[in-house]
């Protein structure tokens, strides 16, 4: 078996394997190689660079003993797939369901998540979006502190566990989107630096040092991330990638890394015979992110749309602190429902500057919108979710909107479990300062920061979903509401029509009600506590969150905090 590693500045590299050290030979482009007889699937190995180490393989496919242990040989061909008839899922018209493997079930494993797939199939979601699964220090983490990016967290079930989960999802008719982090690596267990210039030498974001995408030796650094993306899409049969915080990718090259990634994904889609989606988390409000490559864009299939979330959240919660301050009126909700974003070059109070540009001409399916997600819940000190009444109104608007809707695990039944920020750093210096670091990150967001310690195991355990809640009447009723909304969205073409210019919205200047027109359908929402009559023609109410909702010659009669599709 041949072992290879990129170490362009090293003078000597050895592979530590089968009880001894084997010298590696230098080759072109800074690559070193050695052929080792007797190595096979499962064999442990590590590298020694100029006498330092041993270090795990930067492209380690498996870390059976965690981020500080040796790598293990992993042969992708040994796994037997059963999804041969799977032809993929198109993001257009789809509904996404975001989940965190460690807290989705009590066991926190891929195997346990498979047992819950019938619930998702009955909900009729088209994709699950799995939060990052790269190895992390300790036994619990959101996943954004990942290292050894080619491997899979052993706590969840390792590489075979992920493949089994993807295979089971495909058998259930559900595509899989994997959340990946290419803008930084975690602070613990990151051993890329001894091998080469993987980092730029400056703080690229709050979370860590910027990756070297445009400096000397950056060709191979870019190939590291492009190869990682290809591995998930090809070897793990993943249907799409959610790219974390692409605004933190510092790349001044003429061809941005995202363009190169889009080209590679398009070529791979032709090879594997199924659509492959790339969804960017972007804070830029720049439509070039989702424009095609031949139109001068970056070629992303879609991007997360925080403006829709903020406007929906303000409307159903009444909050207006921090970055919500510009979204407090129904005028903001009206603008995002018809234009995709609020900040299209307008002034952002939170940023104290103008922000964004118009998304005119961009179809709504390229904007992934949500009422809740891991950030918007987990970045609150108490990790608290929206209550059931707010979820009914918000989901009614989200799932009838022109965007690609995304739900967060447990939202569909109004889970009472918080989703808190948690980690399990090994080094005392990181463990003891995590809470203070977290508080500093959200300085100025308008919160009184009283959060549980992220390092305490109880913080993690409290974040696990309680599936027994589904049996309670209020939660079951909300679940039925979500199921009915998704079914109606799939049955009526007007509700999945992505053309923003065809969406019409009327709203009460006093902020009590809003009507969104989708073709001949009216989605009417009463945000006030008292009942309201809206001047809509008499007709059939297709779906309503509360009874009684009636129509007559006077119009549509909505009780307090109710929504109806008319």
């Amino acid at each position: 078996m041949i072992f290879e590693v990129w170490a362009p500045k090293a003078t000597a590299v050895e592979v530590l394997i089968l009880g001894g050290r084997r010298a590696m030979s230098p080759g072109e482009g800074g690559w070193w190689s050695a052929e080792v007889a007797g190595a096979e699937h499962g064999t442990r190995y590590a590298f020694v660079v100029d006498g330092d180490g041993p270090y795990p393989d930067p492209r380690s496919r498996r870390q059976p003993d965690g981020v500080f242990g040796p790598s293990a040989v992993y042969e992708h061909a040994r796994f037997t797939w059963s999804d041969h008839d799977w032809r993929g899922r198109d993001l257009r018209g789809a509904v996404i369901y975001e989940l965190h493997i460690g807290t989705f079930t009590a066991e926190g494993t891929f195997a346990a998540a498979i047992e819950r797939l019938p619930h998702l199939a009955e909900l009729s979601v088209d994709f699950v979006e799995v939060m990052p699964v790269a190895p992390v220090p300790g036994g619990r983490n959101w996943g954004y502190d990942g290292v050894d990016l080619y491997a899979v967290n052993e706590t969840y079930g390792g590489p075979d566990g992920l493949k089994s989960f993807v295979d089971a999802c495909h058998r259930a008719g559900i595509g899989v989107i994997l959340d990946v982090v290419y803008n930084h690596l975690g602070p613990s267990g990151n051993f890329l630096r001894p091998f080469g210039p993987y980092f730029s030498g400056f703080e690229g974001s709050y979370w860590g040092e910027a990756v070297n995408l445009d400096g000397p030796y950056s060709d191979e650094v870019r190939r590291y991330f492009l190869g990682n993306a290809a591995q998930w899409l090809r070897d793990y049969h993943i249907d799409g990638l959610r790219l974390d915080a692409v605004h933190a990718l510092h790349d001044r090259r003429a061809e941005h890394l995202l363009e190169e990634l889009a080209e590679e994904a398009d070529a791979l889609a032709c090879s594997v015979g199924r659509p492959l989606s790339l969804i960017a988390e972007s804070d830029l409000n720049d439509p070039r992110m989702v424009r095609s490559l031949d139109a001068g864009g970056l070629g992303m299939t879609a991007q997360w749309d925080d403006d829709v979330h903020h406007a929906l959240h303000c409307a159903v919660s009444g909050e207006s602190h921090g970055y919500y301050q510009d979204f407090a009126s129904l005028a903001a909700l009206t603008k995002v429902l018809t234009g995709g974003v609020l900040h299209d070059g307008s002034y952002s109070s939170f940023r104290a500057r103008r922000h964004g540009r118009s998304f005119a001409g961009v179809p709504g399916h390229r904007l992934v919108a949500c009422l809740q997600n891991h950030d918007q819940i987990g970045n609150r000190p108490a990790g608290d979710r929206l209550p059931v009444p707010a979820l009914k109104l918000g989901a009614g608007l989200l799932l009838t909107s022109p965007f690609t809707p995304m739900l967060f695990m447990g939202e569909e039944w109004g889970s009472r479990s918080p989703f808190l920020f948690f980690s399990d750093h090994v080094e005392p210096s990181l463990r003891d300062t995590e809470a203070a670091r977290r508080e500093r990150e959200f300085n100025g967001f308008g919160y009184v920061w009283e959060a549980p310690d992220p390092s305490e195991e109880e913080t993690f355990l409290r974040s696990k979903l309680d599936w027994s809640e589904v049996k309670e009447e209020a939660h079951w009723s909300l679940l039925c509401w979500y199921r009915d909304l998704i079914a109606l969205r799939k049955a009526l073409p007007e509700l999945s029509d992505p053309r923003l210019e065809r969406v019409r919205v009327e709203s009460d200047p006093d902020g009590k009600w809003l009507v969104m027109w989708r073709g001949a359908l009216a989605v009417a929402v009463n945000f006030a506590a008292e009942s309201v009559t809206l001047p809509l023609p008499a007709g059939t109410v297709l779906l309503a969150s509360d009874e009684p909702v009636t129509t007559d010659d006077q119009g549509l009669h909505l009780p307090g905090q109710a929504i109806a599709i008319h």
Side-chain angles (χ1 to χ4, degrees):
M1 179 173 289
I2 296 177
F3 291 81
E4 297 178 308
V5 68
W6 181 64
K9 296 185 177 182
T11 57
V13 181
E14 301 164 289
V15 57
L16 180 62
I17 189 171
L18 299 175
R21 289 188 181 187
R22 316 292 176 93
M24 303 184 76
S25 302
E28 293 184 3
W31 283 87
W32 298 72
S33 63
E35 185 171 1
V36 179
E40 59 184 11
H41 181 80
T43 299
R44 304 289 206 274
Y45 70 99
F47 293 116
V48 176
V49 183
D50 289 332
D52 292 331
Y55 301 115
D57 186 347
R59 287 172 170 78
S60 171
R61 265 63 175 186
R62 190 173 179 208
Q63 289 295 120
D65 304 311
V67 299
F68 298 103
S71 301
V73 174
Y74 180 80
E75 297 175 359
H76 282 293
R78 293 174 66 94
F79 185 85
T80 302
W81 291 91
S82 66
D83 66 347
H84 309 296
D85 295 329
W86 177 251
R87 293 296 175 262
R89 278 278 180 273
D90 195 313
L91 198 64
R92 291 173 293 185
V95 177
I96 303 173
Y97 186 97
E98 187 189 20
L99 61 86
H100 175 267
I101 291 295
T103 54
F104 185 55
T105 63
E107 299 85 354
T109 63
F110 294 121
I114 290 172
E115 298 300 313
R116 295 297 179 180
L117 290 182
H119 169 86
L120 300 183
E122 291 174 8
L123 187 59
S124 293
V125 299
D126 301 284
F127 289 95
V128 292
E129 182 176 306
V130 181
M131 288 173 64
V133 300
V136 293
R140 53 190 181 270
N141 197 287
W142 273 19
Y144 301 94
D145 289 326
V147 294
D148 301 315
L149 299 188
Y150 281 70
V152 179
N153 194 328
E154 291 290 321
T155 303
Y156 297 160
D160 280 356
L162 176 57
K163 289 181 177 180
S164 296
F165 176 75
V166 174
D167 202 38
C169 285
H170 289 171
R171 291 197 305 271
I174 299 171
V176 180
I177 297 166
L178 181 64
D179 196 341
V180 294
V181 185
Y182 294 157
N183 59 73
H184 76 286
L185 275 81
S188 179
N190 174 14
F191 298 113
L192 287 184
R193 192 180 305 279
F195 290 92
Y198 280 92
F199 302 97
S200 296
F202 67 93
E203 291 297 318
S205 69
Y206 190 89
W207 312 289
E209 189 176 357
V211 174
N212 175 24
L213 298 177
D214 54 11
Y217 299 96
S218 60
D219 286 352
E220 284 297 343
V221 177
R222 293 166 76 97
R223 288 308 314 170
Y224 177 82
F225 294 103
L226 293 169
N228 181 262
Q231 173 195 250
W232 302 123
L233 299 171
R234 180 190 61 238
D235 300 325
Y236 284 87
H237 295 201
I238 297 291
D239 300 286
L241 302 176
R242 182 264 189 186
L243 307 167
D244 179 66
V246 298
H247 47 272
L249 294 171
H250 291 263
D251 185 1
R252 296 167 295 178
R253 287 199 184 193
E255 183 180 31
H256 195 279
L257 177 70
L258 295 181
E259 295 179 69
E260 202 169 350
L261 183 56
E263 290 175 349
E264 299 261 349
D266 286 346
L268 187 56
C270 295
S271 172
V272 299
R274 53 188 169 86
L276 300 174
S277 300
L278 298 176
I279 303 174
E281 182 199 13
S282 173
D283 186 41
L284 303 176
N285 274 21
D286 188 346
R288 288 175 294 187
M289 186 67 62
V290 293
R291 287 198 181 121
S292 63
L293 295 173
D294 54 12
L298 295 178
M300 297 295 98
T301 314
Q303 70 162 69
W304 275 25
D305 190 336
D306 282 347
D307 282 18
V308 175
H309 167 271
H310 297 349
L312 285 172
H313 182 89
C314 288
V316 301
S317 73
E319 293 185 346
S320 59
H321 61 272
Y323 52 68
Y324 291 132
Q325 57 191 292
D326 290 339
F327 297 84
S329 72
L330 285 189
L333 181 55
T334 296
K335 185 173 180 180
V336 301
L337 289 174
T338 56
V341 296
L342 176 68
H343 293 305
D344 53 4
S346 63
Y347 185 80
S348 165
S349 299
F350 182 70
R351 299 175 179 86
R353 61 169 174 80
R354 293 191 302 113
H355 183 66
R357 60 167 43 175
S358 171
F359 274 69
V362 174
H365 64 74
R366 293 194 178 277
L367 301 175
V368 176
C370 67
L371 188 58
Q372 299 184 118
N373 63 38
H374 74 272
D375 272 333
Q376 301 302 340
I377 300 173
N379 288 344
R380 299 170 69 86
D384 50 312
R385 299 166 176 256
L386 289 170
V388 169
L391 288 172
K392 284 188 176 181
L393 300 183
L397 277 170
L398 174 68
L399 290 166
T400 59
S401 76
F403 312 112
T404 297
M406 184 180 74
L407 315 179
F408 184 67
M409 61 177 196
E411 171 187 332
E412 70 275 19
W413 76 75
S415 170
R416 290 190 294 261
S417 300
F419 188 70
L420 297 157
F421 181 75
F422 48 81
S423 60
D424 187 25
H425 289 298
V426 176
E427 297 93 330
S429 60
L430 291 173
R431 171 182 284 271
D432 296 342
T433 60
E434 184 78 312
R437 185 202 65 79
R438 185 72 172 167
E439 182 174 1
R440 287 195 305 274
E441 181 178 353
F442 292 96
N443 182 37
F445 277 58
Y447 294 117
V448 175
W449 199 263
E450 297 178 352
D453 188 340
S455 299
E456 293 294 329
E457 184 180 18
E458 180 62 21
T459 305
F460 166 65
L461 295 176
R462 286 177 56 201
S463 300
K464 288 180 177 285
L465 290 181
D466 178 2
W467 285 85
S468 68
E469 292 176 339
V470 180
K471 299 176 183 179
E472 300 175 22
E473 183 176 352
H475 295 289
W476 175 255
S477 176
L478 182 63
L479 176 58
C480 291
W481 172 240
Y482 270 80
R483 286 177 177 174
D484 289 345
L485 282 168
I486 295 173
L488 198 65
R489 180 181 180 87
K490 293 177 180 292
L492 301 178
E494 298 95 326
L495 296 182
S496 57
D497 188 336
R499 290 170 288 189
L500 298 179
E501 67 274 13
R502 295 198 173 192
V503 181
R504 293 183 294 116
V505 177
E506 305 169 52
S507 60
D508 173 29
D510 294 327
K512 295 181 179 180
W513 58 263
L514 177 145
V515 178
M516 175 175 63
W517 290 93
R518 307 301 315 280
L521 299 174
V523 182
V525 191
N526 180 13
F527 297 102
E530 63 275 6
S531 63
V532 66
T533 298
L534 302 179
L536 298 176
T540 303
V541 175
L542 300 178
L543 194 62
S545 63
D546 287 287
E547 296 295 342
V549 174
T550 59
T551 63
D552 56 26
D553 292 341
Q554 302 298 315
L556 177 68
H557 304 287
L558 273 177
Q561 293 190 309
I563 181 170
I565 302 171
H566 172 60

